[in-house]
Amino acid sequence: MRGPPPRHPDEQREQLPAVEGVIADAAELQPGNRVVYPNQGVCEVVGVEEKDIAGQKLQLVRMRREEDGAAVLVPKNKVPSIGLRRVATGEQIEGVFHFLAAQFEDPELDWKVRHRDNADRLIAGGVLGVAEVVKGLHSLSRIRPLPAKEREQYDNARHLLVHEVAVSLGVPPALAEDYIDYALMPPAGVKFDLKPPPTPVLLPSRPKRRRPAATEEEGIEDLGLGDLGLGDLDLGEALAAVPEGEAAEGEGAEGAEGAEGEAEGEAPAEGAAEGAEATPGAEETEEEAAPRKARKAAAPKVPAPKAEKREAKRAAAKEPRRKAEKPAKAEKPSKKPAARKAAAPAKKAEKPAAKKTAPKPAAKRGGKKK
Amino acid sequence: MIRVVTLEKIDPADMAFLTATLYRAFGLGTEHAGDRPVPRDAEMDDGRLDAVKFLQDVAPVRTFADDKVLYITSAPLALPPGPLGEPPCWGFSQYGGERAVITTSKLPERGVTEASIETWRRRLAREAIHAIGHLWDLHHCYDAKCAMHPSWSPALPANPEMDLDTFCREKSERRIRLAKT
Ligand SMILES: [Zn+2]
Ligand SMILES: [Zn+2]
């Protein structure tokens, strides 16, 4: 079987066929729909609400992440650009399993290309894109252990895949994971009667400039943030998540990292997740959010230790809010929200180490911008 | 706290080895919380226990926040078949949840020699760490030397270590630490 698909060298993103199930218009969303927010997981649509943000009325789609009950808010006009899609169909899931079980000969060996492509796959590749990341990194791990950042990406991709398969098949997550690994690393002597795997998702060519697309800039202006220099940051993905984050707080550090070009697969995810999680406390105002963004815009190249400090600050700031939001999550009394939420700051703790081990971020940044 | 519940009699020395190993692996107090009967609804016609039903129907033990309960049975466990068939089952966990079950039916013979008993105990401990790892949000791991590597993998050595690799250990430590705060 072939390795990951080639990029389209010159075609525009818009000219590529959309991944099956992508929500092109917020009007398609009905309360009760189950959708996948790339890098976030399966969410249930709650409804549309209007909020007054910085003097502007903003229509927001409210969703609830199924895994932990976290609230996610997305501006209605952002829906087409964030890659929201319907939960994979039975047919798509079947294709995923035949893909996972197929022979995979040639993992991408250039880590810069690989990391960037995998980040794109997680955002725009549909469920098959997520499976491609898991399988690609898994194949690579058989040649050599993954670097810390990709080990993290592998675990994140696995987490997303496990949960989407679980929701699509209606089985518990641990069972979904057993199904996945039964395909990925079958027991000795087990041979599957495989169908040809589905065609891998074609990745769009990366824009030469790191500026967000025009529509995204409009979005920024809508929020009255255009003058903060945000337009210079490639926050396409992260920004879409800002208002729901209202915890733009989280976006701050993470978004900047994403813009730096490191770990964008992880960073926006983490950042947006933070946002999502902080949302139930939703009372944060845009005034609070804006200065944080300004800070981010002013110093987009945050050295690791600073980012870490900020992270710690955020963690501290988040603590009370987390408690406050508990009642809102009464229907999901498990410790998951806390565990998950708490996980992000801790996760951060690893990053500096990863950064120290290699002068990679710089190299990667360069690589990515070309 | 990890509470280990048995469905059949277990040698107290085997249990002592297991609780000590789990304590070392997760830094959590571990105790034997007694026996419970096999939940009838989980019994299948072929003599195996449906692992998913087992965890739903087994008699509970008293727990406090963030306690994990590990059931140990000698009966073979079964999973519902998936898209490519039925994966073999050493154990099953409620991912990120409270209960897990493991079976001793797939372990090498316990035997009577010191060496065979040691091998058996270590293998049981590995499966226990794997199952509890899932309860602390760990996913499967590609490292065949890690307890989170799938138990059926051809890459798994005959006598696997009963340890988590660095990634999984650190992740579980974070989850546990955060649950405590
Ligand atoms: Zn497992
Ligand atoms: Zn591991």
Side-chain angles (χ1 to χ4, degrees):
Chain A
M1 193 184 91
R2 278 167 304 141
R7 267 171 199 274
H8 267 219
D10 294 312
E11 276 178 90
Q12 293 299 307
R13 199 172 276 250
E14 305 77 57
Q15 293 172 313
L16 292 171
V19 171
E20 196 182 335
V22 165
I23 313 285
D25 183 346
E28 293 175 40
L29 296 172
Q30 300 297 325
N33 282 172
R34 298 173 97 182
V35 293
V36 175
Y37 188 153
N39 275 325
Q40 299 302 310
V42 179
C43 299
E44 187 184 327
V45 177
V46 177
V48 177
E49 53 196 63
E50 204 169 70
K51 276 208 172 180
D52 201 1
I53 292 181
Q56 292 197 41
K57 290 222 185 306
L58 205 59
Q59 293 237 299
L60 299 166
V61 179
R62 176 178 283 278
M63 294 179 284
R64 187 185 153 276
R65 183 159 62 189
E66 296 198 353
E67 193 193 335
D68 58 3
V72 180
L73 286 153
V74 181
K76 223 176 157 188
N77 63 349
K78 286 286 171 198
V79 165
S81 62
I82 60 172
L84 209 62
R85 58 186 171 81
R86 302 207 179 272
V87 170
T89 62
E91 202 181 326
Q92 283 175 302
I93 291 291
E94 199 192 349
V96 161
F97 278 91
H98 288 265
F99 168 79
L100 289 172
Q103 288 295 319
F104 195 99
E105 308 291 350
D106 53 349
E108 170 63 59
L109 292 177
D110 180 338
W111 65 269
K112 268 184 275 173
V113 174
R114 187 175 68 230
H115 197 271
R116 186 188 65 184
D117 286 2
N118 281 341
D120 283 0
R121 285 187 182 99
L122 291 177
I123 291 169
V127 69
L128 186 60
V130 181
E132 284 169 21
V133 175
V134 171
K135 191 172 173 65
L137 291 177
H138 189 84
S139 307
L140 189 73
S141 77
R142 295 180 157 189
I143 304 170
R144 55 176 174 239
L146 300 180
K149 200 160 269 187
E150 287 190 294
R151 180 66 184 83
E152 194 79 39
Q153 189 181 46
Y154 176 72
D155 201 58
N156 290 341
R158 181 171 268 276
H159 189 81
L160 295 168
L161 185 61
V162 162
H163 283 270
E164 186 162 1
V165 168
V167 167
S168 182
L169 296 179
V171 299
L175 186 54
E177 183 157 23
D178 280 347
Y179 292 163
I180 288 166
D181 288 305
Y182 186 58
L184 199 57
M185 31 186 151
V190 170
K191 284 274 171 293
F192 301 120
D193 187 13
L194 293 178
K195 297 176 186 165
T199 314
V201 180
L202 286 173
L203 295 172
S205 58
R206 284 239 160 180
K208 298 241 167 18
R209 295 177 311 147
R210 308 260 320 147
R211 293 178 71 82
T215 50
E216 281 155 355
E217 265 171 355
E218 279 164 31
I220 294 162
E221 247 113 49
D222 286 347
L223 294 171
L225 297 170
D227 56 335
L228 294 173
L230 266 174
D232 292 325
L233 300 174
D234 186 16
L235 290 173
E237 170 73 5
L239 199 78
V242 165
E244 80 263 33
E246 284 163 342
E249 163 189 33
E251 294 306 322
E254 301 299 351
E257 271 195 23
E260 266 180 277
E262 343 170 353
E264 71 219 55
E266 300 159 35
E270 217 180 300
E274 295 285 315
E277 271 146 7
T279 304
E283 275 28 275
E284 191 168 7
T285 63
E286 191 60 18
E287 291 104 276
E288 278 175 74
R292 281 197 204 94
K293 282 190 196 133
R295 188 172 60 193
K296 159 178 61 182
K301 305 252 173 188
V302 187
K306 237 189 246 167
E308 189 187 14
K309 216 182 286 167
R310 205 182 291 177
E311 185 74 22
K313 210 158 145 198
R314 170 173 48 159
K318 227 165 56 171
E319 198 59 29
R321 203 179 312 147
R322 185 209 293 180
K323 276 177 195 127
E325 76 197 53
K326 280 257 159 79
K329 287 179 186 168
E331 81 280 11
K332 171 94 191 204
S334 88
K335 323 94 208 167
K336 285 238 71 159
R340 183 174 176 116
K341 214 168 300 157
K347 192 168 168 186
K348 205 64 191 177
E350 296 180 336
K351 289 200 169 164
K355 278 171 190 161
K356 258 174 245 152
T357 53
K360 282 176 183 174
K364 187 183 276 181
R365 259 169 239 145
K368 231 188 75 180
K369 283 180 182 171
K370 73 170 171 236
Chain B
M1 185 95 200
I2 299 170
R3 295 169 197 278
V4 182
V5 179
T6 41
L7 283 95
E8 299 88 11
K9 282 260 161 297
I10 187 163
D11 184 308
D14 292 347
M15 181 55 74
F17 181 90
L18 181 65
T19 52
T21 310
L22 288 175
Y23 174 73
R24 267 201 308 281
F26 294 100
L28 294 169
T30 306
E31 65 163 27
H32 185 198
D35 302 327
R36 291 291 183 279
V38 170
R40 294 288 151 220
D41 276 359
E43 287 179 0
M44 298 166 56
D45 292 342
D46 60 10
R48 298 187 296 169
L49 299 177
D50 181 315
V52 181
K53 275 210 187 98
F54 180 101
L55 292 184
Q56 284 163 3
D57 296 341
V58 71
V61 295
R62 195 176 155 74
T63 54
F64 299 93
D66 292 314
D67 277 359
K68 304 297 184 188
V69 185
L70 176 71
Y71 294 88
I72 303 178
T73 178
S74 61
L77 295 171
L79 295 172
L84 295 182
E86 184 191 324
C89 185
W90 270 255
F92 184 68
S93 308
Q94 292 170 336
Y95 180 82
E98 186 183 84
R99 296 178 183 181
V101 58
I102 56 174
T103 175
T104 56
S105 67
K106 285 183 179 294
L107 305 186
E109 274 301 312
R110 183 170 178 278
V112 291
T113 67
E114 214 171 285
S116 70
I117 291 173
E118 167 81 5
T119 301
W120 185 86
R121 284 176 180 169
R122 292 175 67 86
R123 191 61 211 268
L124 177 68
R126 182 202 183 264
E127 297 313 319
I129 292 170
H130 182 110
I132 291 169
H134 282 317
L135 298 181
W136 283 112
D137 296 350
L138 296 189
H139 286 297
H140 286 161
C141 179
Y142 57 71
D143 183 348
K145 292 197 285 297
C146 174
M148 293 314 293
H149 194 67
S151 306
W152 64 73
S153 160
L156 195 74
N159 288 305
E161 296 294 321
M162 44 177 198
D163 284 316
L164 297 171
D165 73 337
T166 310
F167 179 87
C168 293
R169 197 185 59 248
E170 287 178 352
K171 182 174 170 184
S172 71
E173 283 169 359
R174 286 197 304 274
R175 300 300 160 115
I176 291 168
R177 202 165 48 235
L178 292 159
K180 279 178 180 165
T181 54

